[in-house]
Each structure stands twice: as structure tokens, then as C-alpha cells.
Amino acid sequence: MTEGWLAHSKQRHSPHADERPDATDISLLVVHGISLPAGQFGGPFIDDLFMGKLNPQAHADFAPLAGLRVSAHCLIRRDGELLQYVPFHRRAWHAGRSHYCGRKRCNDFSIGIELEGTDHTPYTEQQYQVLAKVAAQLVQYYPALTAQRIVGHQHIAPVRKTDPGPAFDWAYFRQLLDQHLVR
């Protein structure tokens, strides 16, 4: 990792990020699921959203997203392609209103990784492999981030969010993560 960027990622620079209140306080990893339009994979729309270039007229579902300023640290596409939008020491705008273990504003102390998918479509083997590898790197790099502090968006914003949803196999992901952590 160099200056918060993963060497094996396609690096993009989202404008939807800012400085953390404490750059050394990185203690949570949040897994998300996203597809644009809903239920469709591939195409430029997730990238456009994170880069602030989504045309709200490009699809009928995009009107509510007009002017939305959102990003994540990383996106893992269905084929395992890894894109990074924000260096990890900066705050990406991925969690929204959220809380974890008595703390609010999870963006302040978390890393957000989006998986291209839906709550009810199985995620791909490539996505699990890349996510486990990246998560292991982050756990090894940030002392306050542990395997137990990896959660879904639904866990930090219950009622408001449901992703990555029941299609995400937490047991399988944790098995892969454990394999990477013992190396």
C-alpha cells in the first residue's frame, strides 16, 4: 500500500471524500452492495456516481440520485476488478447516517468497500476472493481494524439499509479471510 492506495487496484480519484477527524482512527470495514440501475451489472453508472458524473436522465431510476455526493474507498466488480476511489486515510462518503458500538458517523472511522451486486443475487467467487485479500491487507495494516470489526451496511444502518443482504455469504467470506490472515 502506498499513501493509502492499493497497488493492485485501478485508481480513480473521487471528489466525494474529505479528511477524517482523526486519520489514525480506522477501526471498521463496511461491506456494501450496489448496482446501477438496480439489478443490472456492468456499465459505467457506479463509476459515474462515485465520480460525481452520473447523468440523472440516463435512466428513469437515476432521478433520485441527482446531486447525490457519495463514494466508497473501493468497488469490486462482478469479475473481480478492483477499483479504488479514495485513499484509506481519507474519509469516503459511503455509510450515511450510521452507528456502530455506540459511535455515530461511521464514515469518520471506517473503510467502505462496495460489491457490485444486489441483496438477493449471489456474489461471485471472484468478488469473495478479492474482498478477502483486500480485507486481510487492511486488517494487517490498521491495528484497530480486526476481523471482528468487518460488518455489512445493514449492521450500521439497520432499517435504512439492507446491503449486502442475505445473498452475501458471511461464513464463506470469513473462512477466506482467515486463510489470508494466516499467511
Side-chain angles (χ1 to χ4, degrees):
M1 191 172 336
T2 305
E3 296 182 20
W5 294 95
L6 294 168
H8 57 281
S9 66
K10 179 179 178 182
Q11 296 176 7
R12 308 279 287 140
H13 295 267
S14 174
H16 305 303
D18 59 3
E19 299 307 315
R20 294 178 185 273
D22 178 353
T24 64
D25 180 17
I26 297 173
S27 58
L28 184 67
L29 174 62
V30 181
V31 178
H32 301 262
I34 188 172
S35 59
L36 286 178
Q40 295 182 28
F41 308 131
F45 300 119
I46 298 171
D47 188 72
D48 289 350
L49 177 66
F50 291 167
M51 295 302 293
K53 298 178 181 180
L54 183 66
N55 177 353
Q57 285 81 40
H59 190 278
D61 292 351
F62 296 169
L65 303 176
L68 185 65
R69 296 170 46 95
V70 65
S71 63
H73 289 91
C74 296
L75 167 67
I76 303 172
R77 293 212 178 260
R78 305 288 294 170
D79 63 2
E81 180 185 25
L82 175 64
L83 293 92
Q84 186 172 354
Y85 292 89
V86 177
F88 298 119
H89 64 275
R90 298 195 75 215
R91 177 173 49 194
W93 303 341
H94 62 94
R97 290 183 322 276
S98 54
H99 59 88
Y100 183 75
C101 289
R103 293 182 70 186
K104 294 181 179 179
R105 299 180 50 92
C106 292
N107 284 341
D108 291 352
F109 58 95
S110 70
I111 291 171
I113 298 181
E114 296 272 1
L115 302 175
E116 185 178 33
T118 72
D119 289 5
H120 301 288
T121 304
Y123 292 90
T124 68
E125 179 64 23
Q126 296 95 324
Q127 288 177 300
Y128 283 109
Q129 293 291 336
V130 172
L131 178 61
K133 180 180 177 182
V134 170
Q137 287 179 282
L138 294 170
V139 166
Q140 291 166 342
Y141 193 84
Y142 295 102
L145 178 60
T146 65
Q148 295 73 37
R149 293 181 62 89
I150 300 174
V151 300
H153 200 187
Q154 75 235 30
H155 302 121
I156 64 165
V159 179
R160 191 174 68 81
K161 293 295 180 176
T162 60
D163 60 303
F168 187 77
D169 187 339
W170 284 101
Y172 182 59
F173 163 70
R174 293 197 186 282
Q175 176 188 359
L176 291 174
L177 177 62
D178 288 345
Q179 292 171 6
H180 282 282
L181 289 173
V182 297
R183 292 181 183 171

